[in-house]
């Protein structure tokens, strides 16, 4: 889906499809170099990370297996408390693995904060984060993310995996949602 297909729902495009792919190329080259000769496992967090995982993996030259986790927070109160519930666990044991968590966005940081703590208890050899987007002004906890694509303002963004009520995930760009859609 292109921005022109849903122009009335969008305020403005924040990151274009081309900028996303240029950035993934750059991040992919760094990841290739950093993990050369190492066995890295890419861990994606459903559903938002689907697009970035699919494209990042294709920008890598190393052959990295993928696994997926689904987590949920029940309502905004749970989300703000940082308590995360695992709805689908990984299929792969993490013991001794070099794990790279792939995320679409770090917003408050609470999801990743919980996940990283959780993964550390599983005996990983190393643990790093690759996030396409980060909202520095919205972060409630410090997240040490090694690979970050774009720092963006705290607007309501959709596209490239990010949704509003399950819509707009298929948009090729990242765009700011028009307020009339959600207010
Ligand atoms: C989004 C996103 C991250 C999380 C980031 O997922 O994919 O996992 O929120 O927010 P945080 O930094 O404030 O914790 P969401 O819970 O919306 O589920 P989804 O990926 O299925 O859309």
């Amino acid at each position: 889906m292109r921005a022109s297909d849903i122009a009335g729902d969008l305020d403005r495009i924040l990151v274009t499809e081309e900028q996303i792919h240029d950035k993934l190329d750059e991040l992919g080259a760094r990841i290739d170099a950093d993990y050369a000769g190492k066995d890295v496992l890419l861990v994606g967090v459903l559903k938002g990370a689907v697009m970035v995982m699919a494209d990042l993996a294709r920008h890598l030259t190393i052959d990295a297996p993928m696994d997926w986790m689904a987590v949920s927070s029940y309502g905004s109160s749970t989300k703000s408390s940082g308590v995360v519930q695992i709805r689908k666990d990984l299929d792969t044991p993490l013991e001794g693995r070099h794990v790279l968590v792939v995320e679409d966005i770090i917003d408050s940081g609470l999801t990743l904060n919980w996940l990283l703590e959780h993964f550390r208890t599983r005996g990983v050899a190393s643990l790093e984060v690759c996030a396409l987007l980060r909202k520095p002004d919205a972060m409630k906890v410090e997240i040490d993310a090694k690979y970050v694509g774009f720092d963006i303002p705290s607007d309501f963004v959709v596209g490239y995996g990010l949704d509003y009520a399950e819509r707009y995930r298929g948009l090729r760009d990242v765009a700011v949602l028009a307020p009339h859609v959600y207010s």
Side-chain angles (χ1 to χ4, degrees):
M1 184 162 73
R2 295 175 193 278
S4 56
D5 299 322
I6 49 165
D9 290 1
L10 303 178
D11 197 2
R12 65 186 191 279
I13 295 176
L14 207 55
V15 191
T16 66
E17 180 182 11
E18 190 185 359
Q19 288 172 320
I20 292 169
H21 287 276
D22 286 351
K23 186 61 76 176
L24 291 179
D25 201 29
E26 184 190 313
L27 293 177
R30 284 177 54 201
I31 292 166
D32 272 343
D34 292 350
Y35 289 95
K38 286 184 188 160
D39 196 14
V40 59
L41 175 70
L42 304 177
V43 169
V45 186
L46 295 168
K47 303 170 191 169
V50 165
M51 306 296 175
V52 62
M53 175 73 103
D55 287 334
L56 176 68
R58 284 180 288 186
H59 280 283
L60 296 176
T61 62
I62 55 172
D63 184 15
M66 295 173 202
D67 202 348
W68 297 93
M69 193 139 176
V71 299
S72 73
S73 43
Y74 290 110
S76 52
S77 59
T78 316
K79 185 138 198 166
S80 57
S81 72
V83 175
V84 171
Q85 186 136 9
I86 298 175
R87 302 185 78 178
K88 182 223 169 288
D89 207 342
L90 300 170
D91 299 326
T92 320
L94 295 188
E95 180 87 39
R97 300 297 300 268
H98 294 284
V99 173
L100 178 59
V101 181
V102 178
E103 262 286 26
D104 49 341
I105 190 165
I106 304 172
D107 196 321
S108 69
L110 292 171
T111 305
L112 261 180
N113 189 51
W114 188 92
L115 271 175
L116 294 174
E117 283 301 315
H118 179 73
F119 291 155
R120 279 190 198 103
T121 67
R122 295 192 186 182
V124 294
S126 71
L127 185 59
E128 299 292 350
V129 172
C130 177
L132 181 70
L133 306 167
R134 178 173 61 186
K135 288 182 176 173
D137 299 337
M139 285 177 71
K140 292 185 176 150
V141 283
E142 188 105 348
I143 298 289
D144 186 16
K146 187 167 186 181
Y147 310 97
V148 176
F150 302 93
D151 279 323
I152 61 169
S154 300
D155 295 313
F156 198 137
V157 291
V158 294
Y160 202 70
L162 292 155
D163 73 311
Y164 168 62
E166 296 300 325
R167 298 177 61 200
Y168 311 111
R169 290 195 199 271
L171 176 62
R172 293 170 181 232
D173 316 288
V174 174
V176 177
L177 194 61
H180 74 80
V181 177
Y182 58 88
S183 57

